[in-house]
Structure formats: C-alpha cells, structure tokens
C-alpha cells in the first residue's frame, strides 16, 4: 500500500520535522505517515502523505486541538 493521500496543516518555526515526528509518536503512533525530506524554516505549513482517508481524518481530528 502506498501513501496516496496528502494532508497539509499549519506549523511554524524551526525543526518542524523533528517536532512533528515526536508529536505523532506520542499521540498517533497507529497512523503511518510519510514525511517530506525537508521543510523550509520560513514555511508556515507542512504537507505529509498518508495511506488512507481514515488515517487523514484521525490525524486531522487530533491536530485540531494542538498547536505545533
């Protein structure tokens, strides 16, 4: 199964990838994600890839309550 679905969410500041990896490991370890190789520091959003629409909805629900 490939990562066919994308999800873009707001995230600002440096070290976006390590911060998101840590958050997803703690709060959504059941959701497999594919992260981009890098995200520019000036960027205010990040797009990740997911395997299913259900995974996208789970992650969306959990991220609505969090400020990364």
């Amino acid at each position: 199964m490939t990562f066919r679905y994308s999800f873009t969410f707001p995230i600002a500041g440096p070290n976006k990838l390590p911060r998101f990896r840590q958050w997803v490991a703690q709060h959504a370890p059941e959701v497999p994600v594919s992260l981009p190789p890098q995200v520019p520091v000036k960027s205010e959003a990040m797009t990740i890839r997911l395997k299913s629409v259900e995974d996208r909805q789970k992650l969306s629900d959990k991220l609505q309550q969090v400020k990364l």
Side-chain angles (χ1 to χ4, degrees):
M1 183 180 261
T2 60
F3 293 90
R4 294 181 178 203
Y5 301 91
S6 64
F7 179 59
T8 302
F9 58 94
I11 184 170
N15 301 315
K16 291 172 185 67
L17 292 172
R19 285 189 291 141
F20 182 74
R21 275 192 200 107
Q22 181 181 9
W23 181 87
V24 82
Q26 290 177 356
H27 298 97
E30 72 280 1
V31 178
V33 297
S34 176
L35 301 175
Q38 62 186 8
V39 179
V41 173
K42 293 182 181 181
S43 175
E44 304 249 337
M46 183 167 71
T47 300
I48 60 171
R49 305 289 291 169
L50 301 162
K51 288 188 174 189
S52 70
V53 173
E54 293 82 15
D55 289 343
R56 186 179 189 280
Q57 188 60 44
K58 285 181 200 175
L59 202 58
S60 175
D61 292 342
K62 292 181 185 224
L63 280 171
Q64 285 182 355
Q65 304 156 358
V66 175
K67 183 180 179 193
L68 294 173

